[in-house]
Amino acid sequence: MSRAIRAYPTLLRVGFADAVAYRVEFLIWILTTNMPLVMLAMMRAVARDAPIGNFGQAEFTAYYLVGLLVRLLTGVWVGYELINDIRQGTIAMRLLRPIHPLFAYSAENVAALPLRGLVTLPLVGVILLVLQPGQLTHDPALIAIFVLGVALAWAITFLIQASIGALGFHIESSYSVSELYFGLFSVFSGYLIPLELFPHWVQRVNAWLPFRFQMGFPVEVMIGHLSREQALRELGTSAAWVAAFFVILNLLWRTGVKRYQAYGG
């Protein structure tokens, strides 16, 4: 562990170099995260005559712009990378290195943050210019919880995707699992539709699922839909999901590596 921590700055520099080298591919990936803007246009048109629940046009604008910001900061692609590495046998090279492959994968994702900043900073400017002062929280405690919520959302997303990728050690291909996961994430995280607009029974079921904490929860904090007490309680739930998926990933990885037989590469 100490060796990995010492090597992490170097891994970040390598990851940043990769992101710069493949900047066109990176920008294409960024463009694929624009679904909140599409949904914003649709929902504003739907709410033109009357609000839907607690969401009028202004509330939808706040929700989807903050949602896009959260999505840009928490997007992770480790699942597809890991699946490909296992299928092609290139994971063997990573396993031979003295640094745990998952540390390297995480560094490659975190290292892209400066490039994401080139996209997110203008978006933050647009958010501040477009939204009215009352549409975002000004409570310093809630803003701090939002920042922590985004960090935990990234961790949950990374651990879930890495767990799906690690399934590749156990089954022939986990691409279908990854597609299923993205479908569930799109619906139950609030990525497409605010979770408050779902029927109450769906909201109660979703409270037991991790998807809301990958996006909906930080957005709800920033647009002032949660009190301090509610936000702190949900932040604790986010941390619990991080711990749970850390254990799941560790189990899948350890048992998977023991039975893995590389070919190709």
Side-chain angles (χ1 to χ4, degrees):
M1 177 64 77
S2 60
R3 179 193 299 166
I5 293 175
R6 288 197 303 272
Y8 210 73
T10 303
L11 293 173
L12 289 175
R13 287 195 293 272
V14 173
F16 180 74
D18 279 346
V20 172
Y22 299 100
R23 52 191 177 277
V24 174
E25 180 180 290
F26 179 79
L27 288 175
I28 291 174
W29 176 81
I30 289 289
L31 292 175
T32 63
T33 63
N34 65 358
M35 185 54 73
L37 295 180
V38 176
M39 294 306 301
L40 170 59
M42 291 177 58
M43 299 307 285
R44 278 183 63 89
V46 173
R48 182 176 300 145
D49 297 326
I52 305 172
N54 295 322
F55 287 84
Q57 286 189 315
E59 288 74 21
F60 276 125
T61 302
Y63 181 88
Y64 284 112
L65 286 181
V66 176
L68 179 59
L69 176 65
V70 172
R71 178 63 179 156
L72 287 171
L73 292 174
T74 61
V76 170
W77 54 86
V78 65
Y80 288 106
E81 279 189 314
L82 189 49
I83 292 171
N84 285 331
D85 284 346
I86 292 173
R87 283 179 61 85
Q88 297 172 7
T90 51
I91 189 68
M93 292 187 292
R94 290 181 180 267
L95 291 171
L96 291 174
R97 294 171 184 168
I99 304 299
H100 196 292
L102 291 176
F103 275 100
Y105 285 122
S106 69
E108 291 166 6
N109 280 258
V110 172
L113 281 176
L115 286 183
R116 296 186 193 196
L118 294 177
V119 179
T120 56
L121 286 178
L123 176 62
V124 171
V126 170
I127 290 174
L128 295 176
L129 285 174
V130 171
L131 300 185
Q132 300 296 321
Q135 291 178 283
L136 298 178
T137 183
H138 291 80
D139 185 338
L142 286 177
I143 293 174
I145 292 173
F146 168 76
V147 174
L148 291 173
V150 170
L152 291 175
W154 180 90
I156 293 172
T157 305
F158 179 85
L159 292 169
I160 289 178
Q161 284 209 20
S163 297
I164 293 173
L167 280 176
F169 287 124
H170 301 270
I171 59 180
E172 184 175 349
S173 173
S174 54
Y175 280 117
S176 56
V177 179
S178 183
E179 295 298 326
L180 174 62
Y181 155 75
F182 186 72
L184 294 173
F185 164 83
S186 298
V187 175
F188 293 110
S189 70
Y191 181 51
L192 297 179
I193 300 174
L195 298 174
E196 295 173 54
L197 300 183
F198 280 89
H200 289 300
W201 70 270
V202 177
Q203 294 184 40
R204 286 197 294 273
V205 171
N206 199 31
W208 294 92
L209 301 176
F211 306 108
R212 173 170 174 253
F213 303 96
Q214 295 179 258
M215 183 173 171
F217 163 60
V219 176
E220 292 167 16
V221 171
M222 197 61 196
I223 62 178
H225 283 203
L226 296 178
S227 65
R228 284 188 180 185
E229 292 73 18
Q230 290 172 320
L232 279 173
R233 187 168 58 248
E234 302 290 14
L235 192 66
T237 306
S238 294
W241 276 118
V242 171
F245 280 109
F246 180 82
V247 172
I248 292 171
L249 173 58
N250 191 47
L251 179 63
L252 288 172
W253 186 271
R254 285 178 178 273
T255 55
V257 169
K258 285 181 181 177
R259 68 195 302 270
Y260 179 63
Q261 292 181 327
Y263 51 89

